[in-house]
Amino acid sequence: MFNRVSVEKQARVLAHAVFIIVAAFVVGIGLGIPVTLGMVLLGYTLTPPSIEVLAATSIAQYVGFIAVVGAYLRVTDVGDLVRVRMPTLRDVALMIAGLVGLFVAVYLLGIVITALGADQAQNTVVTMGQQNPELFLVMIPITVLFVGPGEELVFRGVVQGLFYRAYGAVPAIVIASGLFGIAHYAALAGSGKLTYIVVTILLGLILGGLYERTNNILVPIVVHGIYNAILFAGQWVLAVNDIPMPS
């Protein structure tokens, strides 16, 4: 049974983790609003949003993620919470293994989902990209330079790091991955949102495991960015060739 101090510490860690996630989205959206308005003033369309508007607001959102992490580490004086160093050859090998592992895990889970006859929602970016495939190409550098770093710094760097200090490695990976999956709910379109969240949690578990094995946030950042980039490239190929998405 946890003593009073332990319970208080764990409650504080949970509060900090939720605060970081909420703050990241609030600041990201807050930065995106003036960027969107500025793009509209420059003549870019908002309804429907042009690719330039979507790209600019996406960059602004994840710059907000990174800014929140930087501010939190500075204000709380826990700069060592996010573990980072130059990648070694072992790190590179684990990046490759992790990237392959992500695709294998998603493929196997896809077989299970299909066998169960479950629907799976789509990210709104994918939905918009199917209408304008050029968006997929634009999102490739954005996901590598901004989305991967932003999400990994928040969910693996800070959130998993906080829970690691309070609970240990395995609970930290599981809890951070659960929050990672739930945080994607607002970006989903269509039915099958729970299925999408389960898939995202699985990806989070793999990325969290990579971070724990390497003690280097650059590893999940690179794997996350490249994984998304490959998905966007594949979506572009399907869209421009008018190939239906696999169910």
Side-chain angles (χ1 to χ4, degrees):
M1 182 177 293
F2 297 120
N3 58 39
R4 181 176 175 81
V5 174
S6 296
V7 170
E8 289 179 351
K9 179 181 178 181
Q10 290 163 6
R12 186 166 61 249
V13 165
L14 178 59
H16 278 232
V18 172
F19 169 79
I20 283 296
I21 295 171
V22 172
F25 279 97
V26 169
V27 172
I29 293 171
L31 289 178
I33 292 173
V35 168
T36 300
L37 293 176
M39 296 294 288
V40 171
L41 291 175
L42 290 174
Y44 294 101
T45 60
L46 185 58
T47 50
S50 66
I51 288 179
E52 292 83 0
V53 170
L54 292 171
T57 53
S58 183
I59 291 172
Q61 177 181 348
Y62 290 101
V63 166
F65 275 44
I66 296 168
V68 166
V69 170
Y72 177 79
L73 296 178
R74 183 174 182 83
V75 170
T76 58
D77 194 26
V78 287
D80 60 340
L81 182 66
V82 178
R83 295 161 282 170
V84 61
R85 55 176 169 74
M86 287 295 296
T88 62
L89 288 177
R90 176 177 178 272
D91 292 338
V92 174
L94 285 171
M95 287 178 189
I96 297 171
L99 187 61
V100 172
L102 285 177
F103 282 104
V104 171
V106 170
Y107 175 75
L108 294 177
L109 187 55
I111 293 176
V112 174
I113 292 170
T114 301
L116 294 175
D119 294 328
Q120 183 171 334
Q122 289 185 344
N123 191 291
T124 52
V125 172
V126 173
T127 302
M128 290 184 286
Q130 289 169 347
Q131 305 301 319
N132 191 343
E134 187 182 346
L135 177 61
F136 291 131
L137 297 181
V138 172
M139 287 302 300
I140 289 175
I142 292 176
T143 198
V144 171
L145 298 175
F146 298 99
V147 179
E151 290 192 344
E152 292 307 305
L153 284 169
V154 169
F155 289 98
R156 249 59 64 184
V158 173
V159 174
Q160 184 171 314
L162 286 170
F163 284 115
Y164 175 83
R165 292 186 173 185
Y167 298 100
V170 174
I173 294 171
V174 172
I175 297 170
S177 299
L179 294 173
F180 178 63
I182 293 170
H184 283 76
Y185 181 86
L188 302 180
S191 60
K193 293 183 179 181
L194 179 59
T195 305
Y196 187 102
I197 289 172
V198 170
V199 173
T200 306
I201 290 173
L202 175 63
L203 301 182
L205 291 171
I206 295 173
L207 293 168
L210 286 173
Y211 183 38
E212 179 59 30
R213 285 292 302 274
T214 61
N215 285 315
N216 188 359
I217 194 63
L218 292 179
V219 173
I221 283 176
V222 170
V223 173
H224 189 159
I226 294 177
Y227 173 80
N228 282 357
I230 293 173
L231 289 184
F232 283 132
Q235 291 284 355
W236 177 80
V237 171
L238 293 176
V240 297
N241 290 285
D242 199 25
I243 301 173
M245 283 187 60
S247 57

